[in-house]
Amino acid sequence: MTARPARPRRPSPLAPYARLFARPGARAFTAAGLLARLPMGMLNVSALLMIARIHGSYALAGAVTATALAATAVVGPWTARLVDRHGQARVAVPATALAVAGSVALVLCVRGGAPVWTLFLCTAATATTPNTGGMARARWAHLLRDDPAARHTAHSFEQAADELCFLLGPLLATLLCTTLFPEAGTTVAAALLLTGVLLLAAQRRTEPPVAAPAPSAARPARSPLRTPGLPPLLAVFTATGAVFGSMEVVTVAYADGHGARSAAGAMLALQAAGSCVAGLLCGLRPPAAQPRRRLVAALTAMAALLTAVPLAAATGRLPLVAGALLVAGAATAPAMIAGMALLTARTPAERLNEGMTLAVTALLTGIAAGSAAGGRTVDLLPPGAAGPYAVPALAAALALAVALATTRRPAPATAAVETTQAPAS
């Protein structure tokens, strides 16, 4: 009696991620990067709660955290440029040490009742915090330089990791500051940041090599800001950041207006959860042959889904709004993944970390502008009104309009690169 031939095993749907983390050193630098990235969602919220609790002024707390955001937007690209020129370990460790010193000094000044101007000085020192997410992406780009499909999976994972950190960070910060003592959030975030960066810097075998200096006769690498197609992409990131910034303020105000301010955190967590899941699922798809089209498609979906949020808010039912946020969040990560793929394709390899940090700077700028616009709209309308939810919807429409206007005819120098990054999807 002849034995039946064994049926071939179906490949696991998570096989792309399994292959990704089977590479030597991938798990180690990913774990360290996640530890270093978690404080990014903690620091501003922790400082806000700490200053508001001890000084009794949300206006002062908001001004101090806005100073940190503005300083990071200015200093961040310069820190990233030094990382590209001299290596992650040589620059990230001292830059992090200075940023952590600023956070510790802020805690001491707030607790010790120091003059208000010292709070602004201390928080400005935290601007040297390196872009740990960008450093992780640069490592993937180096390890997977000959594997476009794996690079796409890595981009998807990193975007999902960003969403997870910005989901857990504020929740952890709020828990520490409200259940222990006001300074607990900032103290723990600073410790996590320093530990994570030290562990990441220790992973030397996956660190991208520093590009050799160009000969005097050779043309130096072009700044990412002068790369064709990159400034319009940064404008898309800025408008997308406005979606995030306005959504946070508007959701808190909406929940507060309906007597359930504590529910705002859960509502925003649902949006981040939807984005996180969508990012992981996006990594299971083949990379796009033309990332521009996928970016436009994702932005179209985001703009369309966000129009449903004010409609849900008009009913006055928080569970319905939370569901709309969950669904709308599913378009966020695909848009960011496609945008980062375009940015990687358009940025010179030796300036990649600087290019990614410029994207983060654009997002931070958009978040600040969106927060201001959302807050102003909330002040102009009655408490609990659905109207302020039009602000993130309009910001998403603006991101789509910019993408449509600027990616229709890519520059010849970049078009060939972008269309050869991945096989057809």
Side-chain angles (χ1 to χ4, degrees):
M1 187 174 179
T2 57
R4 292 183 180 180
R7 291 184 179 180
R9 279 189 174 184
R10 279 188 174 185
S12 167
L14 299 179
Y17 289 107
R19 288 194 295 269
L20 195 68
F21 292 106
R23 295 177 181 268
R27 294 180 183 179
F29 87 74
T30 298
L34 288 174
L35 186 64
R37 206 180 316 182
L38 180 60
M40 302 307 169
M42 297 178 62
L43 286 167
N44 275 355
V45 175
S46 297
L48 184 71
L49 293 172
M50 174 179 66
I51 296 170
R53 178 80 176 273
I54 294 178
H55 280 266
S57 171
Y58 275 99
L60 174 61
V64 172
T65 53
T67 299
L69 194 67
T72 301
V74 174
V75 177
W78 293 96
T79 304
R81 185 175 298 180
L82 291 175
V83 168
D84 286 332
R85 288 181 179 177
H86 304 290
Q88 294 186 4
R90 288 186 61 187
V91 175
V93 172
T96 301
L98 178 57
V100 168
S103 292
V104 172
L106 178 64
V107 169
L108 295 176
C109 288
V110 172
R111 171 53 66 180
V116 168
W117 63 265
T118 62
L119 308 187
F120 292 92
L121 182 63
C122 294
T123 198
T126 65
T128 60
T129 303
N131 177 15
T132 51
M135 291 195 296
R137 288 178 170 91
R139 288 178 184 246
W140 286 123
H142 168 62
L143 289 177
L144 308 172
R145 55 191 177 277
D146 299 322
D147 192 341
R151 278 203 308 273
H152 168 71
T153 304
H155 277 305
S156 302
F157 171 80
E158 290 298 328
Q159 186 58 43
D162 281 345
E163 299 292 343
L164 183 64
C165 289
F166 280 100
L167 163 64
L168 297 178
L171 296 177
L172 178 59
T174 304
L175 180 66
L176 290 170
C177 292
T178 56
T179 61
L180 296 180
F181 48 92
E183 304 90 343
T186 302
T187 304
V188 171
L192 289 175
L193 176 63
L194 183 59
T195 303
V197 170
L198 288 174
L199 291 174
L200 182 63
Q203 310 300 318
R204 302 303 293 267
R205 64 175 174 171
T206 55
E207 181 179 351
V210 178
S216 56
R219 186 178 179 180
R222 178 183 294 177
S223 168
L225 283 175
R226 298 177 59 190
T227 302
L230 195 61
L233 185 58
L234 294 178
V236 173
F237 280 121
T238 302
T240 306
V243 175
F244 304 151
S246 58
M247 186 66 76
E248 183 173 351
V249 173
V250 169
T251 299
V252 171
Y254 181 82
D256 192 22
H258 287 269
R261 188 173 189 179
S262 59
M267 294 168 68
L268 291 170
L270 281 174
Q271 183 194 13
S275 184
C276 181
V277 172
L280 292 174
L281 292 176
C282 191
L284 302 177
R285 297 179 59 194
Q290 296 190 14
R292 296 185 303 278
R293 291 184 180 179
R294 185 166 288 184
L295 174 62
V296 170
L299 290 174
T300 301
M302 183 168 68
L305 292 174
L306 280 174
T307 59
V309 180
L311 297 177
T315 67
R317 298 174 60 187
L318 266 64
L320 195 59
V321 178
L325 289 174
L326 174 66
V327 175
T332 303
M336 294 298 298
I337 291 166
M340 283 296 183
L342 265 181
L343 184 137
T344 302
R346 292 178 174 181
T347 305
E350 62 273 23
R351 307 291 284 272
L352 184 58
N353 194 62
E354 182 181 351
M356 290 183 175
T357 302
L358 286 170
V360 173
T361 299
L363 282 168
L364 291 175
T365 303
I367 289 171
S371 297
R376 178 61 175 163
T377 307
V378 166
D379 287 343
L380 292 174
L381 295 175
Y389 272 115
V391 177
L394 289 173
L398 177 61
L400 174 60
V402 173
L404 287 171
T406 58
T407 63
R408 191 172 300 167
R409 294 181 180 178
T414 60
V417 175
E418 292 169 14
T419 55
T420 56
Q421 285 294 314
S425 57

